[in-house]
Amino acid sequence: MSDSFVNCCWNRRELLQLLTTGVVAFSASQLSARAAEDRGPQRGKSLITLWLAGGPSQLETWDPHPGTRIGGPTKAIDTSIQGTQICEWYPQTAEILNSFCVIRSVVSKEGDHERGTYVVRTGYRPEPTVVHPSLGSIVYHELPQGSLEIPGHVSLGDGQFATRGGYLGEESTAFRVFDPGRNLTNLEAPVDHERHQRRLKTLGQLSQGFLNGRRYPIANSLHQKTIDSALKMMTSEQLKAFSIADEPAAALVAYGDHPFGRGCLVARRLIETGVRAVDVTLNGFDTHANNFGLSRGRAEILDPALSTLVTDLKSRDLWDSTVVLVCGEFGRTPQINPLDGRDHWPHGFSILLGGGGLASGRVIGATDPEGVKSPENPVEIPQIMASILQVLGIDFQKEIFTPIGRPIRLTSGQPLAALFKA
């Protein structure tokens, strides 16, 4: 076996290794180069999801009940929404809270991490016969095509449960970057240009030989399309959106020099470049023990990153075209357990939702200060999904046929009127 043949195969494996980080989100739904330069309401819309993995406590974030039996030692502070308080550990978020709607009565029927994540990510409970697409995958799939040369759906951070394309196909699955702001791997050829071109020529000959007699099954796969997209990405100037090397030091200080802070900064850069859907994961909210200490530690990371992201998007006139969702898979129990922790609670938890032309400065729903009664004005996940899709200009009632011919709506819910401007 010749050296060139071995090297070509090795290079092909490197390409496929790059693509398994998400096969993925290269061609369907990105802004055109010209549209990426637009600002304000006329700009095509995008979505950023800040995913608080593990299930953040509503009582130690956006819905504290200080001085009550369930409130624990947590104190509350005033915010820019008149008459509304949040946990004292979020002073910077308190200043920009009026940019969001605070939904305090979100309910779900799933209290397991994987199943709860599935519901909040997709709007559907898990089924054995179908995999539903995540919200980001729907956004990527449904918004207009463009000429972006990097993935249009990106997941930043080391999240346990990947955002999948489901029945929309692997092309809609998020491209995963586990350590945002650092150099991406396998994106530079390990040899000089001429040798790299020889390898690609040999790879093309091998692919053509493999294609003979297999045209129909190959045509229905993403094999060649994925390789072509990866090669285009490797030489694209737009790859700079994944790097923060040219950002001023003050920006990194403001966001926080840790994976989540860098992830939020990269998310802004990707949205500015024209990427349609980005999520950034912050782990560590599964606080069955030492809830108050762990929640405070997460707040020290989330508070500056979130407030800086909102301020940054506004300063670049991207807020009205970017929906920002801050959520986890469920909340935590009102009761404090013997380990000074809180357990899983899908029966009334909080999220933040703003930007993209949505209403702001509103508080929707309320939870019982004693933790006994059901929340007032409960809001279900499909309602949130439908609201986000509608403000992004996507037909939330659209019905899509799965690969086996089953018709499924993008979401089963209806938009929540309180989330929209009068």
Side-chain angles (χ1 to χ4, degrees):
M1 186 176 293
S2 71
D3 176 70
S4 63
F5 179 82
V6 173
N7 286 337
C8 175
C9 292
W10 176 67
N11 192 53
R12 180 173 180 270
R13 284 196 297 269
E14 279 195 329
L15 281 172
L16 295 176
Q17 181 182 355
L18 164 66
L19 303 167
T20 55
T21 61
V23 159
V24 338
F26 274 100
S27 65
S29 333
Q30 304 91 10
L31 296 175
S32 68
R34 181 175 180 179
E37 297 298 322
D38 290 339
R39 291 293 187 272
Q42 72 273 14
R43 180 184 171 91
K45 293 186 178 181
S46 299
L47 170 69
I48 295 177
T49 302
L50 303 187
W51 183 255
L52 312 183
S57 170
Q58 66 280 4
L59 291 148
E60 279 70 55
T61 51
W62 324 127
D63 189 18
H65 288 296
T68 66
R69 179 180 59 85
I70 67 173
T74 308
K75 297 178 181 179
I77 56 174
D78 293 334
T79 71
S80 52
I81 301 178
Q82 187 174 4
T84 299
Q85 294 187 320
I86 62 173
C87 175
E88 62 178 325
W89 302 328
Y90 290 89
Q92 295 183 57
T93 303
E95 294 180 3
I96 53 90
L97 193 68
N98 60 353
S99 300
F100 289 98
C101 285
V102 184
I103 308 178
R104 287 176 162 172
S105 56
V106 182
V107 294
S108 166
K109 294 181 180 178
E110 297 292 349
D112 167 79
H113 287 295
E114 185 171 7
R115 293 178 65 88
T117 297
Y118 190 99
V119 168
V120 178
R121 289 287 203 182
T122 70
Y124 285 91
R125 299 179 77 180
E127 297 181 32
T129 59
V130 66
V131 177
H132 299 89
S134 69
L135 176 60
S137 297
I138 294 173
V139 171
Y140 167 82
H141 185 269
E142 290 298 309
L143 291 181
Q145 295 185 13
S147 57
L148 202 67
E149 296 175 340
I150 58 177
H153 180 200
V154 179
S155 179
L156 303 169
D158 190 12
Q160 183 178 3
F161 305 113
T163 53
R164 302 172 63 184
Y167 61 73
L168 295 180
E170 283 302 303
E171 194 172 3
S172 296
T173 293
F175 178 84
R176 302 190 70 182
V177 179
F178 293 97
D179 190 10
R182 308 301 192 198
N183 291 332
L184 298 178
T185 58
N186 298 316
L187 284 176
E188 293 184 3
V191 295
D192 62 56
H193 177 73
E194 290 185 3
R195 189 173 182 186
H196 182 59
Q197 292 303 309
R198 291 198 302 270
R199 289 181 172 187
L200 292 177
K201 181 178 180 180
T202 305
L203 175 61
Q205 293 169 345
L206 288 171
S207 296
Q208 184 61 42
F210 184 77
L211 180 62
N212 293 334
R214 301 182 178 90
R215 292 188 180 276
Y216 179 77
I218 293 298
N220 285 275
S221 75
L222 295 174
H223 174 77
Q224 191 59 48
K225 185 175 184 179
T226 303
I227 290 177
D228 292 343
S229 297
L231 291 172
K232 181 183 291 186
M233 178 179 173
M234 289 171 69
T235 57
S236 175
E237 285 292 311
Q238 296 172 352
L239 273 177
K240 293 179 180 178
F242 287 99
S243 172
I244 57 175
D246 61 351
E247 290 286 339
L252 188 55
V253 170
Y255 277 97
D257 190 5
H258 41 68
F260 184 73
R262 293 193 302 271
C264 289
L265 177 53
V266 171
R268 186 268 291 165
R269 292 173 62 89
L270 291 170
I271 292 298
E272 196 166 29
T273 302
V275 173
R276 286 295 198 182
V278 183
D279 65 76
V280 190
T281 295
L282 178 60
N283 291 306
F285 286 94
D286 194 18
T287 55
H288 291 282
N290 188 26
N291 170 75
F292 305 101
L294 293 175
S295 294
R296 183 167 188 167
R298 296 298 85 188
E300 291 173 355
I301 294 173
L302 175 59
D303 184 44
L306 171 57
S307 60
T308 302
L309 175 63
V310 172
T311 302
D312 210 355
L313 289 171
K314 288 186 174 183
S315 70
R316 295 168 184 270
D317 204 8
L318 296 170
W319 180 252
D320 288 337
S321 61
T322 308
V323 173
V324 177
L325 170 65
V326 185
C327 65
E329 62 265 43
F330 39 63
R332 314 304 298 187
T333 54
Q335 294 74 27
I336 302 169
N337 67 31
L339 297 176
D340 211 26
R342 298 187 190 272
D343 301 313
H344 301 178
W345 185 256
H347 308 300
F349 57 102
S350 300
I351 72 166
L352 303 182
L353 181 60
L358 288 166
S360 60
R362 298 177 182 176
V363 178
I364 300 169
T367 53
D368 179 17
E370 298 302 319
V372 177
K373 299 178 183 178
S374 297
E376 298 177 10
N377 301 318
V379 176
E380 298 184 348
I381 301 299
Q383 293 177 277
I384 298 169
M385 293 277 291
S387 301
I388 294 172
L389 294 178
Q390 178 162 297
V391 80
L392 290 174
I394 297 171
D395 180 6
F396 63 90
Q397 300 184 90
K398 183 175 181 177
E399 196 172 72
I400 290 182
F401 286 89
T402 70
I404 62 170
R406 175 182 173 183
I408 301 180
R409 278 181 50 173
L410 293 179
T411 178
S412 61
Q414 294 290 321
L416 190 64
L419 288 170
F420 292 85
K421 300 176 181 178

